[in-house]
Amino acid sequence: MNFNSFNPPVRTLMGPGPAEIHPRVLAAMARPAIGHLDPAFLQMMDEIKHLLQYAFQTKNALTIPISAPASAGMETCVVNLVEPGEKVIVCVNGLFGGRMKENIERAGGIPVTIENRWGEPVDPNKLEDTVKRHRDVRLVTFVHAETSTGVLSDAKTLVDVAHHYDCLAIVDAVTSLGGSPLKVDEWGIDAIFSGSQKCLSCTPGLSPLSLADRAVEKIKRRRDKIQSWFLDLNLLMGYWGTKLRSYHHTAPVNTLYGLHEALVMLREEGLEKAWARHWHLHGALRSGLEAMGLSFLVKENKRLPQLNVIHVPPGVDEAILRRRLLDEYNLDIGAGLGALAGKVIRIGLMGHGANMKNVMYCLEALEAVLFDMRAPIQTGVAMNAAQSAAILN
Ligand SMILES: Cc1ncc(COP(=O)(O)O)c(C=O)c1O
């Protein structure tokens, strides 16, 4: 067998992530590696912490990236904050809420699940009813931006409910960070994790995370050993802390160069402008899709701008549609997950990929393939609608 260098096809990434990586991030990652305890590297780690505090809008001292994908950020929050035998309220409104439940069970916790319909946000009233019935609970978890359905939940209200009943809130912000308003300190979020590969336009493989002092105190009060050595925040704090840095693991040096660059870029653009850009481009894409006759799964005021979930038109095989977009247009969009498999497609407008060129390209490709598949759509109107919306908004 002959092995050659791998040269991936050039795709337009408009799925649920990984999103397109900015060339500046790729260039930063190609810089020479240095030792992970080199003083220059340690200084860059400090800058990453400051830049993440900006991205999360927090002053939390424990704000670091975990050297693994966002699933590890979720697991870090769970194994550190959930004690064996502890009851935890888990709000589920899609696939990732379900993952949180699974993590809690594996950590020895006892999940009390609140089911919400897929495609709808987490209901604060249901949360309140449940905490009222379980007064011994001290932890609540929910997903801010549910990537499986394209729904944004009202994090501030949910955290307020949790705090009112003396609970800490763990929040999954994998798809929201950098794309939708997120204010960790103002909203009082106790523990939050995200991913590098979505609205930050970095490579997959890092999970930014931030814990408020209240959450850190809960970890410090624990008498038992955190079940995961690698994700034990007591040990990670020694590596990322401000005092003498000690070896914990070999940080992914070049990947962290990439995250640093992505965060510098976010800072240059400004968070509010980044949120507004995602919203603006969602408006253009939405107008084009709706002009074509396509409809959204999620109600207008609950939608994520960075992840547009669209019903597959009747008679169209969703897998064939996505395959043709990939083969004929090099356009990568996402499939429906779980209960929505085969019924919806997911179009991402994340980070660097949230631009007008991608909006127009996606509409053009989608229209051409759907028309060819004899889907009942309006042709010749989507591009104009998108352009008008972009100008008007
Ligand atoms: C909301 C949410 N949580 C968790 C994850 C897991 O992230 P990763 O695939 O980086 O482990 C994802 C990934 O898409 C996600 O969208």
Side-chain angles (χ1 to χ4, degrees), residues 72-296:
M74 182 187 284
E75 201 152 335
T76 304
C77 288
V78 169
V79 295
N80 283 276
L81 288 167
V82 178
E83 299 184 41
E86 181 174 0
K87 263 202 220 167
V88 184
I89 294 183
V90 192
C91 306
V92 178
N93 65 334
L95 185 102
F96 292 101
R99 281 255 183 104
M100 193 89 90
K101 177 178 176 234
E102 172 82 24
N103 268 274
I104 288 164
E105 280 167 351
R106 284 171 185 247
I110 303 164
V112 177
T113 311
I114 303 175
E115 294 288 348
N116 298 266
R117 274 171 64 99
W118 283 42
E120 285 177 13
V122 173
D123 182 349
N125 295 322
K126 278 193 184 176
L127 174 61
E128 179 144 30
D129 289 347
T130 313
V131 259
K132 268 187 189 159
R133 279 187 284 111
H134 296 271
R135 297 308 295 268
D136 51 337
V137 169
R138 291 290 163 266
L139 268 179
V140 166
T141 75
F142 65 88
V143 180
H144 185 211
E146 200 15 286
T147 327
S148 59
T149 61
V151 168
L152 188 68
S153 286
D154 179 354
K156 184 182 180 313
T157 304
L158 293 168
V159 172
D160 283 349
V161 173
H163 286 178
H164 186 77
Y165 293 90
D166 211 13
C167 294
L168 300 181
I170 303 178
V171 181
D172 175 333
V174 173
T175 289
S176 50
L177 183 69
S180 294
L182 173 62
K183 300 177 178 179
V184 169
D185 284 359
E186 198 180 309
W187 298 351
I189 293 171
D190 304 287
I192 189 159
F193 61 91
S194 187
S196 46
Q197 77 275 27
K198 309 243 181 194
C199 298
L200 297 182
S201 289
C202 184
T203 48
L206 291 172
S207 180
L209 155 155
S210 183
L211 264 73
D213 290 347
R214 298 177 290 282
V216 176
E217 278 154 25
K218 182 174 195 304
I219 299 170
K220 291 200 167 141
R221 276 199 306 271
R222 280 183 71 163
R223 293 272 162 264
D224 56 331
K225 249 189 186 176
I226 307 289
Q227 146 243 342
S228 161
W229 177 85
F230 185 64
L231 302 177
D232 182 343
L233 282 169
N234 294 300
L235 304 177
L236 277 167
M237 282 185 257
Y239 189 43
W240 279 92
T242 44
K243 298 203 192 89
L244 207 61
R245 301 274 180 85
S246 52
Y247 166 68
H248 176 265
H249 66 282
T250 310
V253 172
N254 293 55
T255 316
L256 286 173
Y257 295 169
L259 179 65
H260 182 273
E261 189 69 14
L263 292 168
V264 165
M265 290 185 64
L266 182 65
R267 179 111 200 188
E268 283 170 4
E269 180 177 16
L271 256 186
E272 282 80 5
K273 285 209 176 127
W275 298 335
R277 174 169 53 83
H278 283 88
W279 192 251
H280 178 73
L281 289 154
H282 158 75
L285 180 69
R286 180 192 63 213
S287 300
L289 293 168
E290 286 178 345
M292 226 189 278
L294 300 175
S295 64
F296 278 75

Side-chain angles (χ1 to χ4, degrees), residues 316-364:
V316 170
D317 182 320
E318 172 268 348
I320 295 176
L321 168 64
R322 281 186 302 104
R323 188 62 209 233
R324 286 193 57 181
L325 289 170
L326 195 68
D327 291 345
E328 296 167 29
Y329 289 86
N330 275 309
L331 177 63
D332 186 2
I333 62 167
L337 296 176
L340 296 173
K343 296 183 183 147
V344 298
I345 49 172
R346 295 182 298 151
I347 305 176
L349 276 176
M350 295 179 178
H352 172 55
N355 61 59
M356 201 56 192
K357 178 172 134 282
N358 279 1
V359 168
M360 298 306 262
Y361 187 60
C362 176
L363 289 172
E364 188 188 341

